[in-house]
C-alpha cells in the first residue's frame, strides 16, 4: 500500500488509450528523473531494509510506458557516474526480463518504447564510456536475439557504416556488440532459420570485416612505436578474431574460403609477432598480445578440426609456430589461456588421421611429452594459492571442468589425443616420468610433495579414455594398473593419521577414488569409505569438499541388481560418524553453504533410509536453522535445492515409519516457512509449497487449522503471476481439496470463486492449461457436489471459449479426461444435460467433433482408465443415446472406445504446435525446480472400484441389453467393424456375460 501511494504521488503518470492502453505513462520530466535517481541510489545500499523496497518499487513501475526511456536518459545525461552505470545495468536487466514477448503473457514493453529503444540504442552505445558501452552492447544482443533480422533489419547496416568512422572507440563498440550478437552461432543447433540468418550476416558483414582486419594490421605497422594506439588496435584485432570464429563455426562460408589466404597469412604473422611494447609486467593478467594469440590458436584449431582439407596447405606452418610458442612461453599465470589454447590446438591436430604422420617419430613424441606435457602438469604456486585462498574457483576448475581452460586440463587432453594412435609409446615414456617423480617424493616428502601430485595427475590423464559425470571413468588404458597404484600410492595418503598434512595430496587421493570408482573393486571402495568420512573433518575446504563429493558419488553407484552398490547395512557401523561429520563440515570456515556437502547429506539420507530416524530430531533443527539463515539472502541455488531435498527426505522417511510425527515437522518448519512467505523470498516459494504439499498429503483425511489459515493467501493473484510458483501451488491446492474438500465448502465457501478464478487464469494459457485441469479435476473429485452446482455451467462455458480460441492437442487431451471424470462423478445424464443446457444438441457435437476423433490421443494409464469408464457410462447409462438423434453416434463411440483399448496411442502433433516449454518463461523468474524427494504418488480417482475397464464395458453392455432386449446386438451387427466386434466378443467372454 505504502509503495503504491508513493508511486502515484511521486511519479507523475497519466494513462493513454492507444493500442498500449495497458501501460501507464510516466512523463519524461525532471521530477521523474529525480525520483528515479533517488531509487537507483537506494538499490546500491548495502542495508536490505533500504535496498529491498527500492528494488520492489522499480519492479512495480517497470511496466509503465517511458520507464526504459527515462533510464536511457539518465545513463546519457546524469552528472553522477555511479547513477549512469547503475541506470545502464538496470536497463540491461529490464531488457533481459521483459523484451521477449511470451504467448499468453502481457507484453511488458509498449510498442512505442520498443521502437524508440531500437532507434536510439546503437548511437547511445557507441557514444558512451566503455563501462556503459558494455551494458548497452549486451542489451542490443538480447534485443537482437529476439528481433534480428525480421523486426530489426537495419541493425547490421547501421553498425557496418560505423567501421568507416576511423574512430576505434566506436569501431570497438560495434565489434563488441557484433561479438555478443553472433556468439550464439557457436552453440545453436543447425536449422534453416539459423542458416538464412548467418547467410544474411555474411552478405552484410564478411567483406567489411575483412577490410577492417587488413586496415587494422596496416595501422599496427604504422603505429608500431605508439603504445596507446597499439592497445586499441590490438583489442580490435582480438574482437575481429573472435568474430571470425563465430562466423566460421557452423560451416565454412564461401567468402572465407575464397579469402582464406588473407586471413591465415595474417593470423600466422600475428602468432609469430613479438612487440616489446605490448609485453606486460603483470604476472596474473593476460596482456593484449596473449589474448589475441589465444584466439588465433582457437581459430586454427577450428579449421584443423572441421575444415582439414581446405586448411591443409596452412597447417604445417601453424604447427611450427604454435610449437615454438609453447616451448618459449613461461609458467606465469598470464599465459595460461594462451598455453592451454595452443595445447588444445595440438590435441585437436594429433587425433586426426590426416595428420598422424606429423607425430610418428619417437623423438617428436618424447619432445612433446618432455617440453609441453610434463611442464604444464606441474602444480604451480598460483595453483597452491588458489587451493588455499580461492577454493571455490579451484574446485570449479579442477572438479567440474569449468569453461576456464587450465594448462593441466589441456595437457591432459593432449595426452588423450596422442594415446589415440600412440598409446604404447606414450604410456612407456610417461611411466618413466611417473616412477622418477614418485622416487623424488619418497626421498623427501615434505619438500617434494608436488612431484607426487604431478605423478598422480599424469597417471589419471593416461588412464582415462572416456569419462561421464554419472560413472566417472568408464574406459581405462589397459597399460596402467589402477589397483596397484591405488594400494601403493593412494591408500597410504587416505590412511595417514593427520588429515591436515599435505592437503593437496589428500585431495588428489580422494579425487582418484572418485574418478576411478567404476574401475576399483567394491572391497576397495568399502575400505575407502570410512577414510573419506574422516576427511570430512579436514580444515582445507578443497579437501573436505572432495570428500563429501566422493561419498555422494559412491552412494549413487548401482550394484548388479540395480540396488545401490553400497548398502545401508554396510554403512551401519559408520552411520553416526557420517552424519556427524557432514553436519560439522557445514560449520567449517568457507563451507557454510557448500553445495557438495549438502548434496552428500541428501544422498546419505536417501541411502540410509530408516537408519536415520533416530538422528532426525537433532538434525531437523540444524536443517531448519540453516534454512532460516540462507533465506535472508539466497545466493547458492544448488545448495538451497539440496537443503530442501534433505528436508523432504527427513519428512518422508520418518513419517513412513510413523505418520503421527508429521505434526512435529510442522512445528519445526512452519515458523521458517511463515517468515519466507511474509518476506516474499521468491526463490524459495516453489520449494516451500512442495514441502507443504508433502506434509499435508501425509495427514489422514482432515486439514489442520494452521493450513486453513493460509488457504486464502494461496489464492492471491500475485503468487500466480510467477511461472515458477504454478506447478507447486496447484499441487498444494490439490492436497487441500483432497484432504478437506468438505471443510473448504463449509468454512471457506466464499473462497470457491477465488479457486475457480485461479482455474480460469491457468486455462487461458497454453503453457499452463494442463495445470488448470489438474485443479479442476480435484475440485470435481473432492468438493461436495452441491457446493459447486452454481458454478458448473460457467466452467464448461470457459472451456468452450478456450476451445474456440485456440484448440491445441494438449488442451484436448486434458479436456477429454475432465469431461469423462465429470461423467464418472456425476453420471452420464448429468453430463448430457449440462452440455445441452448451454446450447441445444451440444452434447452430440462434443461427441462427434471431439470425443470420437480425438480420444486415441489420450496418454497415461490413469487418464485412459478415466476416459474408458466415462465413455462406458455414456454408452450404457444415458437414455438419450438410445432414442434421440444421438443414437447414430452410439456405434462410432463404442468403436472409438475399443480403439482406445486396442490401438496404439496417437501421439502425432500438428505442425503448427511447437509447445512453449515452461522453461521459456521470461528472464529472471525462478523457473520451477521440482524436488525429486517431494514426489507425488500417481492418484487414480476411480481406484479399485474398476479393476479392468474392458470387463466393465462388457458388464455394462450386458446390463443395457437386458433393459432393452434386441437393441444392442442389432446396433452392433449393422455398423461395428469386424475387428472391433471380435475384440468385444473377447471382453464378453472374459466377463462371462452375453448380450440379450
Amino acid at each position: 500500500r505504502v509503495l503504491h501511494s508513493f508511486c502515484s504521488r511521486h511519479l507523475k503518470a497519466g494513462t493513454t488509450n492507444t493500442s498500449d492502453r495497458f501501460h501507464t505513462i510516466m512523463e519524461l520530466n525532471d521530477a521523474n528523473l529525480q525520483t528515479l535517481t533517488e531509487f537507483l541510489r537506494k538499490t546500491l545500499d548495502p542495508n536490505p531494509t533500504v535496498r529491498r523496497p527500492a528494488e520492489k518499487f522499480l519492479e512495480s513501475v517497470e511496466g509503465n510506458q517511458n520507464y526504459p526511456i527515462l533510464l536511457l536518459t539518465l545513463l546519457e545525461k546524469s552528472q553522477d557516474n555511479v547513477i549512469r552505470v547503475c541506470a545502464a545495468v538496470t536497463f540491461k536487466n529490464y531488457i533481459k526480463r521483459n523484451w521477449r514477448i511470451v504467448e499468453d503473457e502481457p507484453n511488458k514493453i509498449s510498442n512505442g518504447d520498443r521502437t524508440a529503444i531500437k532507434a536510439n540504442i546503437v548511437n547511445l552505445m557507441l557514444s558512451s564510456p566503455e563501462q556503459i558501452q558494455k551494458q548497452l552492447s549486451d542489451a542490443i544482443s538480447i534485443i537482437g536475439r529476439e528481433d534480428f533480422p525480421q523486426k530489426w533489419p537495419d541493425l547490421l547496416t547501421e553498425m557496418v557504416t560505423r567501421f568507416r568512422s576511423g574512430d576505434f572507440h566506436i569501431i570497438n563498440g560495434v565489434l563488441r556488440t557484433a561479438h555478443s550478437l553472433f556468439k550464439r552461432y557457436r552453440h545453436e543447433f543447425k536449422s534453416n532459420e539459423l542458416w538464412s540468418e548467418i547467410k544474411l550476416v555474411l552478405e552484410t558483414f564478411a567483406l567489411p570485416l575483412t577490410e577492417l582486419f587488413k586496415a587494422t594490421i596496416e595501422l599496427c605497422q604504422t603505429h608500431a612505436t605508439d603504445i596507446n594506439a597499439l592497445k586499441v588496435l590490438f583489442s580490435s584485432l582480438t574482437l575481429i578474431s573472435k568474430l571470425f570464429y563465430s562466423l566460421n563455426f557452423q560451416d565454412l562460408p564461401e567468402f572465407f574460403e575464397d579469402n582464406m589466404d588473407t586471413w591465415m597469412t595474417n593470423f600466422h604473422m600475428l602468432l609469430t609477432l613479438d612487440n616489446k611494447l605490448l609485453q606486460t609486467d603483470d604476472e596474473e593478467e593476460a596482456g593484449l598480445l596473449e589474448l589475441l594469440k589465444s584466439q588465433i590458436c582457437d581459430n586454427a584449431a577450428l579449421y584443423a578440426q572441421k575444415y582439414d582439407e581446405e586448411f591443409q596447405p596452412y597447417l604445417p606452418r601453424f604447427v611450427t609456430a604454435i610449437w615454438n610458442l609453447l616451448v618459449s612461453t613461461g609458467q606465469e599465470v598470464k599465459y595460461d589461456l594462451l598455453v592451454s589454447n595452443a595445447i588444445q590446438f595440438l590435441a585437436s591436430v594429433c587425433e586426426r588421421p590426416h595428420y598422424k604422420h606429423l607425430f610418428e617419430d619417437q623423438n617428436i613424441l618424447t619432445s612433446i611429452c618432455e617440453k609441453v606435457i610434463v611442464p604444464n602438469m606441474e602444480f604451480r604456486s598460483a595453483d597452491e594459492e588458489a587451493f588455499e585462498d580461492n577454493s571455490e574457483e579451484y574446485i570449479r576448475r579442477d572438479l567440474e571442468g569449468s569453461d576456464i581452460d587450465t594448462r593441466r586440463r589441456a595437457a591432459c587432453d593432449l595426452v588423450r589425443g596422442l594415446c589415440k594412435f600412440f598409446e604404447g609409446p606414450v604410456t612407456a615414456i610417461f611411466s618413466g616420468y611417473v616412477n622418477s617423480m614418485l622416487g623424488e617424493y619418497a626421498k623427501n616428502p615434505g619438500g617434494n610433495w608436488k612431484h607426487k601430485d604431478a605423478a598422480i595427475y599424469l597417471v589419471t590423464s593416461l588412464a582415462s579414455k572416456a569419462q561421464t559425470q554419472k560413472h566417472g571413468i568408464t574406459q581405462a588404458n589397459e597399460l596402467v594398473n589402477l589397483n596397484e597404484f591405488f594400494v601403493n600410492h593412494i591408500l597410504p595418503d587416505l590412511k595417514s593419521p593427520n588429515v591436515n598434512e599435505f592437503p593437496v595430496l589428500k585431495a588428489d587421493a580422494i579425487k582418484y577414488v572418485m574418478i576411478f570408482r567404476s574401475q576399483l573393486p567394491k572391497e576397495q571402495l568399502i575400505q575407502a569409505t570410512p577414510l573419506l568420512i574422516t576427511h570430512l573433518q579436514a580444515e582445507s575446504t578443497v579437501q573436505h569438499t572432495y570428500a563429501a563429493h566422493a561419498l555422494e558419488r559412491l552412494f549413487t553407484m548401482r550394484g548388479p541388481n540395480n540396488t545401490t552398490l553400497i548398502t545401508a547395512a554396510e554403512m551401519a557401523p559408520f552411520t553416526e560418524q557420517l552424519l556427524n561429520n557432514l553436519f560439522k563440515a557445514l560449520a567449517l570456515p568457507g563451507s557454510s553453504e557448500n553445495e557438495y556437502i549438502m548434496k552428500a547429506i541428501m544422498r546419505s539420507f536417501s541411502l540410509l533410509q530408516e537408519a536415520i530416524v533416530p538422528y532426525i530430531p537433532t538434525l531437523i533443527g540444524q536443517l531448519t536453522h540453516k534454512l532460516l539463515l540462507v533465506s535472508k539472502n539466497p545466493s547458492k541455488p544448488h545448495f538451497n535445492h539440496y537443503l530442501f531435498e534433505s528436508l523432504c527426505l527427513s519428512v518422508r522417511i520418518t513419517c513412513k515409519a510413523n505418520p503421527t510425527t508429521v505434526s512435529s515437522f510442522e512445528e519445526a518448519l512452519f515458523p521458517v516457512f511463515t517468515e519466507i512467505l511474509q518476506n516474499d523470498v521468491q526463490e524459495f516459494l516453489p520449494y516451500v509449497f512442495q514441502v507443504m504439499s508433502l506434509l499435508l498429503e501425509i495427514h489422514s483425511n482432515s486439514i489442520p487449522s494452521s493450513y486453513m489459515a493460509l488457504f486464502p493467501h494461496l489464492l492471491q493473484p500475485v503468487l500466480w503471476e510467477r511461472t515458477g510458483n504454478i506447478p507447486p501451488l496447484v499441487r498444494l491446492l490439490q492436497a487441500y481439496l483432497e484432504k478437506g474438500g468438505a471443510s473448504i465448502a463449509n468454512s471457506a465457501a466464499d473462497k470457491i470463486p477465488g479457486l475457480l478464478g485461479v482455474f480460469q487464469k491457468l486455462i487461458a494459457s497454453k503453457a499452463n492449461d494442463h495445470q488448470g485441469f489438474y485443479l479442476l479435476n480435484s475440485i470435481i473429485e473432492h468438493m461436495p457436489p452441491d457446493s459447486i452446482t452454481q458454478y458448473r455451467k460457467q466452467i464448461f462455458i470457459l472451456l468452450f471459449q478456450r476451445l474456440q480460441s485456440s484448440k491445441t492437442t494438449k488442451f484436448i487431451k486434458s479436456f477429454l479426461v475432465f469431461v469423462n471424470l465429470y461423467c464418472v462423478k456425476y453420471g452420464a445424464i448429468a453430463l448430457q444435460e449440462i452440455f445441452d443446457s448451454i446450447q441445444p444438441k451440444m452434447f452430440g457435437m462434443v461427441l462427434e467433433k471431439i470425443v470420437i476423433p480425438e480420444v486415441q490421443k489420450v496418454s497415461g494409464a490413469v487418464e485412459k482408465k478415466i476416459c474408458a469408464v466415462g465413455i462406458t457410462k455414456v454408452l450404457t447409462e444415458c437414455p438419450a443415446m438410445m432414442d434421440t438423434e444421438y443414437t447414430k453416434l452410439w456405434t462410432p463411440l463404442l468403436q472409438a472406445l475399443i480403439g482406445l483399448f486396442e490401438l496404439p496411442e496417437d501421439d502425432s502433433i500438428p505442425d503448427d504446435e511447437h509447445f512453449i516449454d515452461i522453461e521459456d518463461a521470461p528472464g529472471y523468474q525462478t523457473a520451477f525446480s521440482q524436488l525429486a524427494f517431494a514426489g507425488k504418488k500417481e492418484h487414480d480417482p476411480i481406484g479399485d472400484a474398476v479393476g479392468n475397464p474392458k470387463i466393465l464395458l462388457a458388464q455394462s453392455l450386458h446390463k443395457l441389453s437386458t433393459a432393452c432386449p434386441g437393441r444392442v446386438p442389432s446396433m452392433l451387427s449393422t455398423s461395428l467393424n469386424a475387428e472391433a466386434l471380435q475384440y468385444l466378443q473377447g471382453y464378453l467372454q472374459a466377463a462371462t456375460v452375453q448380450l440379450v
Side-chain angles (χ1 to χ4, degrees):
R1 288 290 159 118
V2 180
L3 271 180
H4 190 77
S5 57
F6 183 94
C7 170
S8 44
R9 271 210 315 280
H10 286 268
L11 288 170
K12 301 294 178 288
T15 44
T16 166
N17 50 5
T18 58
S19 65
D20 292 314
R21 64 179 177 284
F22 303 114
H23 299 274
T24 310
I25 296 188
M26 293 162 72
E27 287 166 24
L28 293 170
N29 56 31
D30 291 346
N32 278 347
L33 288 169
Q34 189 51 45
T35 307
L36 203 49
T37 304
E38 284 163 23
F39 275 104
L40 287 172
R41 189 167 281 116
K42 284 180 185 166
T43 62
L44 302 171
D45 197 302
N47 175 358
T49 54
V50 177
R51 186 179 72 246
R52 280 250 168 93
E55 290 167 348
K56 284 258 189 274
F57 169 74
L58 290 176
E59 206 183 314
S60 72
V61 295
E62 69 177 27
N64 295 352
Q65 202 178 331
N66 286 341
Y67 171 73
I69 312 301
L70 284 163
L71 283 174
L72 290 176
T73 311
L74 278 183
L75 74 82
E76 184 183 14
K77 303 208 163 109
S78 172
Q79 300 304 305
D80 181 341
N81 206 30
V82 175
I83 291 297
R84 291 182 70 187
V85 174
C86 183
V89 174
T90 307
F91 175 79
K92 179 192 75 179
N93 290 334
Y94 163 83
I95 293 294
K96 198 171 171 181
R97 280 200 298 270
N98 301 314
W99 193 273
R100 172 181 277 193
I101 297 175
V102 180
E103 197 174 3
D104 304 330
E105 304 271 329
N107 172 0
K108 309 248 183 64
I109 305 179
S110 71
N111 296 333
D113 283 352
R114 285 174 187 270
T115 311
I117 289 169
K118 285 192 284 198
N120 295 305
I121 189 165
V122 176
N123 271 332
L124 199 51
M125 182 266 302
L126 296 175
S127 59
S128 298
E130 194 162 337
Q131 232 184 336
I132 293 172
Q133 193 177 65
K134 283 198 167 105
Q135 299 296 332
L136 290 178
S137 165
D138 283 352
I140 292 174
S141 69
I142 295 165
I143 298 172
R145 233 206 118 116
E146 299 299 321
D147 289 16
F148 174 79
Q150 275 76 23
K151 295 185 192 164
W152 201 357
D154 50 355
L155 170 63
L156 271 195
T157 35
E158 190 181 352
M159 279 164 48
V160 169
T161 49
R162 306 303 165 89
F163 283 164
R164 301 198 198 104
S165 67
D167 175 343
F168 272 85
H169 174 72
I170 289 179
I171 290 172
N172 282 353
V174 172
L175 291 171
R176 199 175 292 118
T177 306
H179 172 52
S180 57
L181 204 56
F182 305 152
K183 200 165 50 184
R184 67 188 180 86
Y185 300 157
R186 303 175 181 194
H187 39 245
E188 292 266 311
F189 287 117
K190 297 189 158 127
S191 69
N192 290 338
E193 217 175 336
L194 182 70
W195 285 129
S196 55
E197 182 179 324
I198 294 177
K199 187 169 170 288
L200 180 87
V201 168
L202 289 165
E203 284 163 7
T204 321
F205 209 79
L207 180 63
L209 187 70
T210 310
E211 298 301 328
L212 180 68
F213 181 50
K214 293 192 292 199
T216 310
I217 286 175
E218 277 172 26
L219 285 169
C220 289
Q221 284 147 0
T222 320
H223 297 283
T225 53
D226 175 353
I227 178 66
N228 291 330
L230 284 178
K231 278 183 178 169
V232 178
L233 293 168
F234 268 78
S235 38
S236 308
L237 286 172
T238 305
L239 284 164
I240 292 171
S241 306
K242 287 182 175 187
L243 285 163
F244 176 88
Y245 189 86
S246 299
L247 294 175
N248 282 274
F249 188 88
Q250 289 278 346
D251 203 356
L252 178 57
E254 200 179 329
F255 177 88
F256 284 104
E257 193 178 343
D258 297 344
N259 289 273
M260 196 182 296
D261 198 60
T262 303
W263 285 93
M264 291 305 155
T265 312
N266 282 311
F267 279 158
H268 181 262
M269 181 272 295
L270 291 168
L271 263 186
T272 49
L273 174 90
D274 189 19
N275 189 316
K276 294 282 174 281
L277 288 176
L278 285 170
Q279 289 174 351
T280 56
D281 299 331
D282 186 336
E283 291 202 352
E284 299 284 318
E285 199 65 41
L288 289 164
L289 207 53
E290 288 81 49
L291 290 172
L292 175 60
K293 289 182 179 184
S294 307
Q295 186 55 50
I296 292 174
C297 288
D298 262 357
N299 294 355
L302 177 75
Y303 267 55
Q305 263 179 318
K306 286 189 151 191
Y307 317 123
D308 43 8
E309 282 179 30
E310 295 85 351
F311 188 55
Q312 220 147 8
Y314 302 94
L315 184 89
R317 62 179 112 158
F318 273 92
V319 172
T320 311
I322 288 175
W323 172 256
N324 291 333
L325 195 71
L326 280 170
V327 183
S328 60
T329 302
Q331 284 283 12
E332 293 83 353
V333 175
K334 68 173 169 185
Y335 300 124
D336 283 6
L337 182 66
L338 174 57
V339 168
S340 71
N341 283 2
I343 297 177
Q344 289 291 5
F345 167 77
L346 286 183
S348 64
V349 171
C350 75
E351 60 178 20
R352 312 285 295 181
H354 274 71
Y355 310 132
K356 192 172 141 186
H357 61 278
L358 294 171
F359 299 89
E360 270 167 337
D361 184 339
Q362 181 75 22
N363 297 330
I364 289 184
L365 283 177
T366 310
S367 180
I368 289 179
C369 294
E370 185 185 322
K371 295 187 168 147
V372 175
I373 292 170
V374 173
N376 285 303
M377 285 209 174
E378 281 170 17
F379 195 76
R380 299 167 304 166
S381 50
D383 299 317
E384 202 172 347
E385 275 170 34
F387 184 94
E388 287 166 11
D389 305 328
N390 192 357
S391 50
E392 232 171 276
E393 185 53 36
Y394 181 90
I395 291 165
R396 215 173 37 243
R397 281 200 300 229
D398 187 48
L399 206 54
E400 300 172 18
S402 74
D403 304 338
I404 308 161
D405 291 307
T406 59
R407 291 176 181 238
R408 280 192 141 181
R409 165 93 39 71
C412 195
D413 288 348
L414 180 53
V415 172
R416 263 181 225 173
L418 289 169
C419 281
K420 188 166 171 184
F421 295 123
F422 314 105
E423 188 166 58
V426 170
T427 307
I429 295 169
F430 280 136
S431 302
Y433 276 109
V434 169
N435 291 333
S436 76
M437 287 170 177
L438 291 169
E440 289 297 310
Y441 167 73
K443 283 183 215 158
N444 172 10
N448 295 341
W449 61 267
K450 287 186 182 175
H451 289 283
K452 180 168 182 180
D453 168 79
I456 296 175
Y457 209 87
L458 249 181
V459 168
T460 306
S461 55
L462 263 180
S464 358
K465 281 184 164 178
Q467 185 167 12
T468 66
Q469 200 61 46
K470 194 172 172 191
H471 302 291
I473 300 297
T474 51
Q475 252 185 313
N477 175 340
E478 277 75 55
L479 307 173
V480 181
N481 187 332
L482 292 168
N483 273 357
E484 198 180 294
F485 193 82
F486 175 76
V487 175
N488 296 337
H489 303 290
I490 298 292
L491 208 51
D493 281 341
L494 290 176
K495 283 181 163 168
S496 120
N498 177 357
V499 289
N500 292 318
E501 187 185 28
F502 302 138
V504 176
L505 291 183
K506 298 279 201 307
D508 289 342
I510 295 168
K511 187 179 169 195
Y512 185 94
V513 175
M514 184 182 72
I515 61 176
F516 292 116
R517 61 187 182 274
S518 297
Q519 262 62 40
L520 296 169
K522 178 174 172 177
E523 49 277 15
Q524 292 189 348
L525 299 178
I526 295 279
Q527 192 183 1
T529 301
L531 304 173
L532 293 172
I533 293 174
T534 312
H535 285 276
L536 289 167
Q537 295 175 294
E539 288 162 16
S540 149
T541 306
V542 175
Q543 192 182 337
H544 63 243
T545 301
Y546 280 20
H549 187 45
L551 286 164
E552 191 272 328
R553 296 282 82 195
L554 293 184
F555 291 167
T556 51
M557 290 178 74
R558 294 275 158 204
N561 48 1
N562 208 23
T563 53
T564 52
L565 180 70
I566 297 174
T567 62
E570 287 164 325
M571 286 303 298
F574 322 120
T575 296
E576 185 153 344
Q577 195 197 356
L578 169 69
L579 295 172
N580 266 336
N581 288 5
L582 281 168
F583 276 87
K584 276 193 197 143
L586 285 176
L588 291 165
S591 277
S592 65
E593 292 182 38
N594 184 322
E595 65 184 70
Y596 291 98
I597 298 174
M598 193 41 89
K599 193 175 188 185
I601 290 174
M602 169 189 88
R603 199 69 68 196
S604 304
F605 281 9
S606 172
L607 173 74
L608 296 166
Q609 290 294 325
E610 55 276 7
I612 66 168
V613 172
Y615 305 99
I616 288 297
T618 46
L619 298 182
I620 195 75
Q622 298 184 49
L623 290 169
T624 43
H625 179 64
K626 183 60 81 180
L627 177 57
L628 190 60
L629 292 177
V630 295
S631 68
K632 302 272 187 276
N633 186 16
S635 54
K636 295 277 182 71
H638 290 98
F639 177 86
N640 300 333
H641 188 89
Y642 300 134
L643 171 56
F644 277 103
E645 291 281 22
S646 304
L647 286 169
C648 289
L649 277 162
S650 319
V651 172
R652 269 216 128 104
I653 294 166
T654 315
C655 293
K656 188 176 162 191
N658 177 4
T660 57
T661 50
V662 67
S663 57
S664 49
F665 282 106
E666 289 164 349
E667 276 166 37
L669 291 166
F670 273 27
V672 193
F673 286 179
T674 308
E675 192 154 327
I676 290 170
L677 291 166
Q678 280 171 343
N679 294 330
D680 190 26
V681 184
Q682 295 192 15
E683 299 88 325
F684 281 8
L685 293 186
Y687 291 128
V688 168
F689 297 142
Q690 286 175 85
V691 181
M692 286 184 64
S693 303
L694 179 65
L695 291 164
L696 184 49
E697 284 158 10
I698 292 167
H699 280 275
S700 52
N701 294 323
S702 66
I703 300 190
S705 57
S706 50
Y707 288 87
M708 279 312 287
L710 185 68
F711 183 66
H713 300 285
L714 301 177
L715 304 174
Q716 288 172 353
V718 60
L719 282 179
W720 294 90
E721 268 159 29
R722 296 184 206 135
T723 30
N725 286 345
I726 290 173
L729 262 179
V730 167
R731 176 180 167 192
L732 182 53
L733 289 179
Q734 284 183 286
Y736 270 91
L737 290 161
E738 186 192 335
K739 296 297 174 188
S743 49
I744 291 173
N746 295 334
S747 62
D750 57 328
K751 297 293 171 279
I752 295 175
L755 200 56
L756 292 167
V758 169
F759 150 75
Q760 184 173 358
K761 177 179 166 51
L762 295 174
I763 217 79
S765 142
K766 280 187 193 166
N768 297 314
D769 50 19
H770 60 294
Q771 296 284 350
F773 276 112
Y774 292 161
L775 187 59
L776 180 59
N777 292 345
S778 288
I779 292 173
I780 295 298
E781 189 187 343
H782 300 295
M783 291 292 280
D786 51 352
S787 66
I788 54 167
T789 311
Q790 54 180 334
Y791 306 111
R792 283 188 216 167
K793 192 167 171 181
Q794 190 52 40
I795 290 172
F796 277 91
I797 289 172
L798 286 170
L799 294 176
F800 281 124
Q801 284 168 344
R802 168 62 212 270
L803 269 174
Q804 275 172 328
S805 66
S806 71
K807 178 172 125 179
T808 63
T809 306
K810 178 164 75 109
F811 185 85
I812 286 179
K813 283 159 72 168
S814 301
F815 178 75
L816 285 168
V817 174
F818 160 70
V819 167
N820 284 298
L821 180 70
Y822 188 94
C823 179
V824 172
K825 182 79 182 166
Y826 294 124
I829 297 176
L831 182 70
Q832 177 247 318
E833 285 176 346
I834 196 156
F835 276 133
D836 287 345
S837 72
I838 293 172
Q839 192 185 316
K841 304 196 180 140
M842 176 74 109
F843 181 57
M845 286 192 280
V846 172
L847 290 179
E848 190 178 358
K849 298 279 192 290
I850 298 175
V851 181
I852 295 169
E854 306 281 8
V855 75
Q856 207 55 45
K857 292 203 163 106
V858 174
S859 51
V862 173
E863 288 80 355
K864 286 183 168 172
K865 182 175 172 183
I866 292 170
C867 290
V869 177
I871 292 174
T872 300
K873 282 180 168 295
V874 171
L875 287 166
T876 61
E877 297 175 15
C878 178
M881 287 299 286
M882 297 301 282
D883 46 16
T884 64
E885 70 267 37
Y886 295 156
T887 312
K888 64 177 190 292
L889 298 170
W890 192 89
T891 325
L893 183 60
L894 177 61
Q895 177 101 24
L897 174 55
I898 297 172
L900 178 65
F901 287 144
E902 305 299 343
L903 295 174
E905 184 186 312
D906 169 13
D907 52 7
S908 62
I909 284 184
D911 292 343
D912 55 347
E913 283 182 34
H914 39 277
F915 282 121
I916 317 147
D917 272 332
I918 307 273
E919 294 311 319
D920 277 357
Y924 82 129
Q925 291 199 357
T926 334
F928 168 52
S929 300
Q930 177 93 46
L931 290 170
F933 294 110
K936 186 180 181 193
K937 292 197 297 293
E938 174 138 70
H939 167 68
D940 177 356
I942 297 170
D944 301 334
V946 176
N948 179 346
K950 298 177 183 176
I951 302 284
L952 176 77
L953 174 63
Q955 292 166 338
S956 307
L957 286 172
H958 165 72
K959 203 168 137 192
L960 176 68
S961 75
T962 50
C964 40
R967 285 285 307 274
V968 177
S970 80
M971 284 157 80
L972 293 179
S973 59
T974 52
S975 49
L976 191 66
N977 82 21
E979 204 182 348
L981 195 53
Q982 209 175 340
Y983 280 122
L984 185 59
Q985 300 296 355
Y987 308 158
L988 292 163
Q989 277 164 5
T992 61
V993 292
Q994 288 177 333
L995 300 180
V996 184

